């Protein structure tokens, strides 16, 4: 059987009899063998719990405890699929996620039981891992062996992980055993993962990033993993030193939070070789390597598997890399589907034609996108043919539309420019929030930055930024205005009209900035907001009379309905 068609079940089975340390968690260490044995026991239990004829799906509502990889491995051995349940979801939305994915078993822990209070989950058996009843339930199955691997197909579903945009219910993307095993092996080859490595998993395992980019390559290489219940910037270095971690993944603004911790003289005294993730930004990546001696490699892979950009040594500053060999990637105008012209740069690296060079990344060739669970409309939207967004959705076999903005240079290197949902249109010019954020992140007083659109009173959008100042830095509006003037690549439409000062950047459970919430609140929020009225060069506090004047202008233009409720 070729490596592309291997199963995760086989990888779990191979760890049987391997008595090297395999899993670190809160001072405890399990060998690879004990992990495989624990997975086999849970697989045997699962076979008895799942009703005949039902979709073999289990929901996992856990922090990053050992039970998470144990149940992932158990599902692989038994040919079942794990739906990662997001603990930040509440009430009917949480119930919807569990019922939509047809979970017949829900694995959780006592700390999350209050989330289930009052929910109607018909036909769902709840297992609470940190209880005596759970241990008693598992006891009869101890001694089972992971011998199910030969009967499990590479096409068997293994993951149902939720992805979401700015609107609509989250979609459950499907990942099969073959795709996950191949993704793990690809990263092993790309980064030279060794059996004596340890992967530190501090991003939540209900999200594809931690499982696909951290757990899977460790499993494929026979490397160990170290778990952290939830990401902690203050506990990061102590953890990696304690378990000898050599690799970690990050998403969102985790790197900014690590850089915001007080610097110490021994920060570079750590075993890490590299970090792999997305959206750290060139400035923060350089600062991270300077301070901790750890190289951050920015990568890109659509969570659904439809497109990937391979990291390329020697790539230009800011570039992720080139398309993976199997992909036919293009950057296209989402309205016309015409390919965007290549990027034009100034001598200092500024992008000069962002308005026309930035477009949506599409994969025009065959790709491993495996669809969403019970969501044909979302499948069709992803797989549209070469027609614009406004056109009729195509069927399977069309282009794969990533929903992400990129631009491409003349040598084929691709640069991330944000989510399609994070595009702004200011004075008829299209702007990417991520590019403005990368510029504002240079401000020495900012620990974290988010840029998003608020409606303009006349037409289009205005730029709003949320800034979390570094500890003790505060916000100096005059210094900030001077900083903006000194940025050579800050276009005339990019300067924020509104600046919201937050004590801590609001983030989702996966440590991505909660842009939907920021946009929803706009400039009428509880935090202090500074603004620069049209025609003025200085920032001043946005007061109630200012807000009343703005609202009157929106009303006069018939655009008040575009504003979130105050």
């Amino acid at each position: 059987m070729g490596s592309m068609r291997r199963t995760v079940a086989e990888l779990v089975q191979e760890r049987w009899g391997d008595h090297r340390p395999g899993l670190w968690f809160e001072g405890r260490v399990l060998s690879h063998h004990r992990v495989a044995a624990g997975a086999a026991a849970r697989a045997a239990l699962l076979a008895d719990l799942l009703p005949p004829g039902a979709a073999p799906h289990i929901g996992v509502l856990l922090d990053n405890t050992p039970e998470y990889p144990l149940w992932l491995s158990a599902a692989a051995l038994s040919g079942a699929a794990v739906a990662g349940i997001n603990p930040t979801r509440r009430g009917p939305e949480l119930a919807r996620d569990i019922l939509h994915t047809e979970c017949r078993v829900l694995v959780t822990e006592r700390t999350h039981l209050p989330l289930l209070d009052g929910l109607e989950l018909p036909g769902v058996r709840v297992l609470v891992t940190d209880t005596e009843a759970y241990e008693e339930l598992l006891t009869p199955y101890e001694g089972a062996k992971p011998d199910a691997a030969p009967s499990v197909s590479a096409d068997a579903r293994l993951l149902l992980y939720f992805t979401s945009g700015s609107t609509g219910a989250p979609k459950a993307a499907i990942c099969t055993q073959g795709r996950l095993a191949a993704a793990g092996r690809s990263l092993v080859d790309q980064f030279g993962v060794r059996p004596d490595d340890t992967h530190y998993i501090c991003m939540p395992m209900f999200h594809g990033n931690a499982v696909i980019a951290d757990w899977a390559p460790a499993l494929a290489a026979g490397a160990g993993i170290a778990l952290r219940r939830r990401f902690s910037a203050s506990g990061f270095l102590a953890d990696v030193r304690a378990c000898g971690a050599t690799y970690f993944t990050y998403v969102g603004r985790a790197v900014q939070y690590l850089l915001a911790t007080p610097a110490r003289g021994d920060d570079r005294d750590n075993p890490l070789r590299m970090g792999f993730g997305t959206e750290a930004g060139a400035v923060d990546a350089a600062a991270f390597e300077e301070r901790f001696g750890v190289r951050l490699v920015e990568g890109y892979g659509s969570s659904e598997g439809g497109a990937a950009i391979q990291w390329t040594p020697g790539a230009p500053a800011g570039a992720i890399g080139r398309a993976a060999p199997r992909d036919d990637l293009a950057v296209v105008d989402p309205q016309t589907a015409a390919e965007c012209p290549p990027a034009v740069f100034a001598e200092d690296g500024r992008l000069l034609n962002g308005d026309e060079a930035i477009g949506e990344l599409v994969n025009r060739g065959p790709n491993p996108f495996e669809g969403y669970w019970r969501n044909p409309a979302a499948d069709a939207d992803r797989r549209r043919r070469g027609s614009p967004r406004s056109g009729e959705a195509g069927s399977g076999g069309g282009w794969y539309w990533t929903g992400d903005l990129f631009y491409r240079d003349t040598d084929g290197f691709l640069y991330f420019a944000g989510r399609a949902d994070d595009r702004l249109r200011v004075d008829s010019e299209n702007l990417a929030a991520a590019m403005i954020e990368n510029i504002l992140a240079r401000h020495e007083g900012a620990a974290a930055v988010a840029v998003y659109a608020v409606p303009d009173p006349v037409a289009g959008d205005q730029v709003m930024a949320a800034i979390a100042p570094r500890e003790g830095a505060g916000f100096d509006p005059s210094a900030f205005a001077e900083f903006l003037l000194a940025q050579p690549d800050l276009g005339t439409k990019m300067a924020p009209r509104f600046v919201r000062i937050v004590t801590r950047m609001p983030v989702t459970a996966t440590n991505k900035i909660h842009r939907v919430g920021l946009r929803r609140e706009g400039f009428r929020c509880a935090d202090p907001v500074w603004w620069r009225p049209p025609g003025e060069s200085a920032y001043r506090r946005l007061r109630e009379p200012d807000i009343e004047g703005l609202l009157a202008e929106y009303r006069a233009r018939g655009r008040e309905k575009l504003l979130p409720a105050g």
Side-chain angles (χ1 to χ4, degrees):
M1 181 179 291
S3 61
M4 289 299 289
R5 300 307 298 162
R6 298 211 70 192
T7 65
V8 175
E10 290 174 313
L11 300 178
V12 173
Q13 192 177 34
E14 289 172 1
R15 302 278 66 81
W16 183 263
D18 184 345
H19 296 284
R20 295 176 302 126
L23 190 156
W24 285 258
F25 179 72
E26 296 182 352
R28 294 187 288 132
V29 182
L30 298 179
S31 68
H32 287 289
H33 175 79
R34 285 192 63 189
V35 173
R42 287 158 179 78
L45 168 61
L46 188 59
D48 286 343
L49 291 181
L50 288 173
H57 297 172
I58 62 172
V60 177
L61 176 61
L62 296 170
D63 291 337
N64 287 4
T65 69
E67 290 288 345
Y68 217 121
L70 285 170
W71 277 102
L72 284 171
S73 300
L77 292 173
S78 62
V82 167
I85 306 300
N86 184 340
T88 67
R89 300 274 281 174
R90 294 292 185 271
E93 292 184 343
L94 178 62
R96 178 263 174 200
D97 292 350
I98 298 166
L99 296 177
H100 170 69
T101 46
E102 300 180 31
C103 296
R104 296 307 182 98
V105 175
L106 178 65
V107 182
T108 189
E109 54 193 318
R110 284 182 294 180
T111 187
H112 291 316
L113 282 179
L115 299 179
L116 305 179
D117 287 346
L119 297 189
E120 293 189 13
L121 300 172
V124 179
R125 173 76 178 269
V126 178
L127 305 183
V128 186
T129 59
D130 48 350
T131 61
E132 290 184 8
Y134 178 74
E135 294 299 326
E136 292 172 359
L137 190 63
L138 271 175
T139 297
Y141 299 93
E142 292 176 357
K145 294 184 178 180
D147 54 4
S151 65
V152 176
S153 166
D155 295 323
R157 292 186 300 275
L158 178 57
L159 301 178
L160 297 168
Y161 50 96
F162 287 101
T163 64
S164 60
S166 59
T167 60
K171 305 177 290 289
I174 296 170
C175 181
T176 60
Q177 294 222 19
R179 179 158 80 88
L180 185 59
R185 172 48 56 185
S186 176
L187 289 172
V188 168
D189 295 340
Q190 187 173 343
F191 296 130
V193 182
R194 306 185 299 250
D196 60 349
D197 280 327
T198 299
H199 285 204
Y200 178 54
I201 304 178
C202 56
M203 297 291 103
M205 294 192 74
F206 68 78
H207 190 259
N209 169 276
V211 175
I212 297 172
D214 219 341
W215 181 70
L219 185 65
I225 62 171
L227 300 176
R228 175 87 187 194
R229 283 183 179 271
R230 298 175 186 176
F231 172 73
S232 167
S234 60
F236 180 84
L237 275 185
D239 280 353
V240 300
R241 288 167 176 155
C243 64
T246 53
Y247 169 104
F248 75 104
T249 59
Y250 59 87
V251 294
R253 299 304 172 187
V255 169
Q256 288 188 338
Y257 293 135
L258 290 170
L259 289 171
T261 59
R264 295 172 54 95
D266 62 352
D267 280 342
R268 296 174 69 91
D269 180 16
N270 68 75
L272 287 169
R273 287 204 315 271
M274 63 167 289
F276 177 56
T278 60
E279 300 180 47
V283 172
D284 284 344
F288 194 89
E289 184 169 9
E290 173 66 24
R291 177 173 163 184
F292 298 105
V294 180
R295 179 169 58 96
L296 299 184
V297 175
E298 289 279 297
Y300 174 82
S302 171
S303 298
E304 295 86 345
I309 298 172
Q310 197 157 330
W311 173 73
T312 309
I320 294 176
R322 291 190 172 100
R326 69 173 186 270
D327 291 340
D328 177 17
L329 299 188
V331 178
V332 304
D333 184 320
Q335 300 303 318
T336 65
E339 193 159 353
C340 296
V344 177
F345 300 99
E347 290 185 5
D348 58 7
R350 285 181 295 129
L351 177 63
L352 297 178
N353 63 334
D355 186 39
E356 58 179 2
I358 295 173
E360 184 168 350
L361 186 72
V362 299
N363 188 351
R364 301 177 295 193
N367 62 79
F369 173 54
E370 295 170 318
Y372 299 106
W373 179 253
R374 303 278 196 248
N375 199 332
D379 285 350
D381 187 58
R382 281 286 185 214
R383 289 176 164 141
R384 296 189 308 281
R385 298 191 184 280
S387 56
R389 273 196 176 280
S390 57
E392 185 177 352
S395 59
W399 294 1
Y400 176 86
W401 294 73
T402 66
D404 291 318
L405 299 175
F406 275 82
Y407 54 97
R408 192 175 201 160
D409 66 20
T410 53
D411 294 320
F413 286 100
L414 289 154
Y415 302 71
F416 181 68
R419 293 283 301 164
D421 290 337
D422 295 329
R423 194 162 195 164
L424 303 83
R425 189 163 180 82
V426 180
D427 293 341
S428 299
E429 183 173 335
N430 291 320
L431 305 174
M435 298 193 66
I436 305 175
E437 286 176 356
N438 288 339
I439 297 172
L440 300 188
R442 302 169 190 159
H443 185 48
E444 61 181 11
V449 175
V451 168
Y452 47 99
V454 294
D456 183 87
V458 179
D461 303 314
Q462 284 293 341
V463 179
M464 185 163 182
I467 296 178
R470 296 191 183 279
E471 188 173 355
F475 177 71
D476 183 336
S478 298
F480 182 70
E482 291 175 4
F483 159 80
L484 295 177
L485 289 173
Q487 306 312 303
D489 49 350
L490 187 74
T492 57
K493 312 296 185 185
M494 294 182 179
R497 172 64 54 84
F498 303 95
V499 180
R500 174 178 177 174
I501 305 302
V502 298
T503 54
R504 183 176 177 83
M505 191 65 66
V507 295
T508 66
T510 57
N511 284 300
K512 294 184 178 181
I513 290 176
H514 190 20
R515 298 179 194 278
V516 174
L518 290 169
R519 282 195 294 262
R520 186 182 299 128
E521 294 181 352
F523 52 75
R524 290 185 288 176
C525 57
D527 295 313
V529 174
W530 299 77
W531 79 307
R532 186 156 53 179
E536 297 187 18
S537 59
Y539 284 93
R540 57 182 171 85
R541 278 293 298 272
L542 183 70
R543 306 289 186 184
E544 193 60 34
D546 300 317
I547 294 175
E548 292 176 0
L550 283 168
L551 294 179
E553 190 172 357
Y554 282 101
R555 281 193 294 271
R557 303 280 183 171
R559 289 174 61 84
E560 188 179 19
K561 62 182 181 296
L562 300 179
L563 292 172

